[in-house]
């Protein structure tokens, strides 16, 4: 798996880049954009004083302000890096400051609802090119970001039909410069695919960890003690940012409910296999799922090292 960002561009793609929200994703973009010389000036806005202070201390941009409109003023590319539920308020705040020909983009994990929330506020002559970098960690805030987060990861663009092709090409070039592989699809399709590959898995993790924490005190301490049996891998996902994930579920309701319906049906089928001793059925499913993992590793989206590449000493630490 390559983690190299590559050399800086000769000339910046954008004169002024504005990042609204300087958490995990915004700060990773800032770091990568700086290293790659993607923009001459990086302006940052965040409503959190703490995040702004960290952005200054970490030297993430050339300007760090509280007001999103101030950062967006005169920008060629404005990227909304806030939780999806905050996108509409940010769009309202930046709209009067946007210059003609500016491009507005975002990094939200949901696309249909974001387009509906942001699009109507943008003035004519401003192109909306939504993007979703399919990369992240369970951490948040400016300190959690790193420049190579997007290297060899997919970034999905979901421009509506008729959006200026030159603007779409510039956003594509931006993400490619940050090391991403870029794909374009419509927003509804994105939301359905991500519901099954990301949103429902997060919900399952939140649910299993929640169930464990509801257990009686003695059992709960054993859950933590013996977590290497599989539970701890769910806890990583279930440690993800509560605001971000609340907003994802509230804004991708239809696709998540559709994917959850299928999941519940398949879970019932599994329950029946266990109840009626259908070992052949269980084995066939588990063999199929193992092949999916192999496919992900082969596509360079995961390490081939066992146990997610966790270090193990000579004696080994047990595990499953
Ligand atoms: P994060 O680390 O929590 O950072 C978000 C930042 O935005 C925080 O500093 C937050 O301040 C600030 N903010 C919230 N509302 C704002 C507003 N109205 N105006 C200005 N700043 C505001 O979040 P993140 O993980 O970077 O996620 C940002 C976006 O990326 C989300 O839309 C998410 O769906 C998407 N995304 C995340 C991941 C991931 O793995 N984390 C992956 C792909 C895409 P406060 O702390 O005060 O709220």
């Amino acid at each position: 798996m390559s983690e190299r960002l590559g050399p800086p561009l000769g000339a910046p793609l954008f004169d002024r880049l504005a990042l609204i929200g300087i958490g995990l994703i915004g700060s990773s973009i800032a770091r990568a954009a700086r290293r790659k010389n993607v923009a001459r000036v990086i302006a940052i806005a965040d409503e959190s004083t703490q995040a702004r202070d960290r952005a200054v201390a970490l030297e993430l941009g050339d300007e760090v302000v509280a007001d999103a409109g101030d950062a967006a003023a005169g920008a060629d590319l404005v990227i909304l890096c806030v939780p999806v539920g905050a996108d509409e308020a940010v769009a309202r705040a930046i709209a009067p400051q946007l210059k003609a020909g500016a491009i507005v983009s975002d990094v939200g994990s949901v696309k249909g609802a974001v387009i509906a929330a942001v699009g109507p506020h943008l003035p004519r002559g401003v192109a909306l090119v939504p993007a979703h970098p399919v990369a992240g960690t369970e951490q948040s805030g400016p300190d959690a970001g790193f420049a190579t987060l997007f290297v060899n990861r997919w970034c999905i663009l979901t421009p509506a039909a008729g959006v200026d092709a030159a603007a779409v090409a510039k956003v594509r070039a931006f993400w490619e410069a940050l090391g991403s592989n870029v794909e374009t699809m419509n927003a509804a399709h994105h939301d359905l695919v991500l519901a099954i590959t990301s949103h429902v898995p997060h919900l399952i993790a939140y649910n299993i960890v929640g169930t464990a924490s509801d257990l009686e005190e003695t059992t709960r301490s054993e859950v933590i003690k013996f977590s290497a049996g599989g539970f701890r891998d769910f806890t990583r996902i279930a440690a993800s940012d509560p605001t971000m994930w609340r907003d994802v579920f509230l804004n991708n309701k239809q696709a998540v409910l559709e994917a959850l319906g299928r999941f519940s049906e398949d879970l019932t089928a599994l329950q029946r296999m266990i109840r009626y001793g259908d070992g052949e059925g269980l084995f066939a499913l588990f063999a199929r799922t193992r092949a999916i993992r192999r496919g992900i590793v082969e596509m360079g989206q995961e390490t081939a090292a066992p146990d997610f590449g966790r270090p193990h000493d000579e004696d080994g630490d047990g595990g499953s």
Side-chain angles (χ1 to χ4, degrees):
M1 227 183 301
S2 164
E3 288 296 345
R4 266 178 50 79
L5 195 53
L9 300 182
L13 280 170
F14 296 98
D15 189 53
R16 181 178 172 90
L17 164 68
L19 300 172
I20 316 300
I22 196 70
L24 168 71
I25 301 295
S27 74
S28 295
I29 294 176
R31 287 171 168 98
R34 172 65 19 105
R35 273 220 221 155
K36 290 290 301 191
N37 192 30
V38 170
R40 191 180 63 80
V41 174
I42 299 177
I44 290 167
D46 199 296
E47 65 173 16
S48 152
T49 313
Q50 206 187 342
R52 289 198 304 277
D53 289 347
R54 290 306 301 153
V56 171
L58 295 163
E59 300 181 2
L60 294 176
D62 303 290
E63 298 168 24
V64 180
V65 295
D67 188 86
D70 289 346
D76 307 282
L77 174 64
V78 183
I79 309 182
L80 279 45
C81 307
V82 296
V84 166
D87 277 328
E88 181 166 15
V90 172
R92 275 180 202 277
I94 64 171
Q97 307 291 341
L98 293 170
K99 72 172 189 186
I103 302 171
V104 171
S105 187
D106 77 311
V107 293
S109 311
V110 177
K111 302 280 44 127
V114 167
I115 293 173
V118 174
H121 299 289
L122 302 185
R124 283 171 77 87
V126 168
L128 175 60
V129 184
H132 176 201
V134 187
T137 74
E138 68 282 14
Q139 304 195 327
S140 25
D143 286 277
F146 52 100
T148 54
L149 177 63
F150 310 110
V151 175
N152 200 28
R153 297 283 167 260
W154 287 100
C155 181
I156 303 172
L157 307 186
T158 64
V163 169
D164 179 24
V168 178
K170 283 197 104 175
V171 175
R172 170 182 281 272
F174 175 84
W175 283 103
E176 286 176 347
L178 267 49
S180 292
N181 307 314
V182 179
E183 189 152 316
T184 301
M185 62 178 72
N186 75 50
H189 188 66
H190 166 279
D191 289 352
L192 200 59
V193 171
L194 270 291
I196 197 68
T197 55
S198 170
H199 306 168
V200 168
H202 275 79
L203 201 69
I204 292 167
Y206 281 125
N207 189 48
I208 185 84
V209 176
T211 303
S213 83
D214 289 342
L215 294 175
E216 284 174 39
E217 195 54 53
T218 37
T219 330
R220 200 187 312 149
S221 63
E222 283 173 329
V223 166
I224 292 168
K225 184 172 164 191
F226 299 122
S227 66
F231 181 73
R232 73 177 176 189
D233 293 334
F234 283 105
T235 63
R236 183 191 71 75
I237 298 178
S240 300
D241 190 73
T243 306
M244 169 189 158
W245 283 97
R246 174 202 65 199
D247 286 3
V248 166
F249 292 115
L250 295 180
N251 287 282
N252 197 21
K253 201 174 183 171
Q254 212 181 328
V256 167
L257 291 178
E258 165 67 23
L260 262 184
R262 288 171 187 236
F263 174 81
S264 309
E265 280 175 28
D266 291 343
L267 192 62
T268 305
L270 270 174
Q271 226 173 323
R272 286 178 64 83
M273 286 182 206
I274 295 169
R275 188 181 309 284
Y276 296 110
D278 180 4
E280 220 173 284
L282 290 172
F283 187 89
L285 175 69
F286 301 163
R288 194 151 56 88
T289 56
R290 186 176 236 196
I292 287 182
R293 166 99 190 149
R294 255 185 238 128
I296 293 169
V297 170
E298 277 163 22
M299 282 182 79
Q301 297 298 306
E302 174 62 295
T303 173
D307 198 19
F308 301 105
R310 288 185 180 108
H312 292 280
D313 58 29
E314 283 292 288
D315 302 327
D317 73 352
S320 36

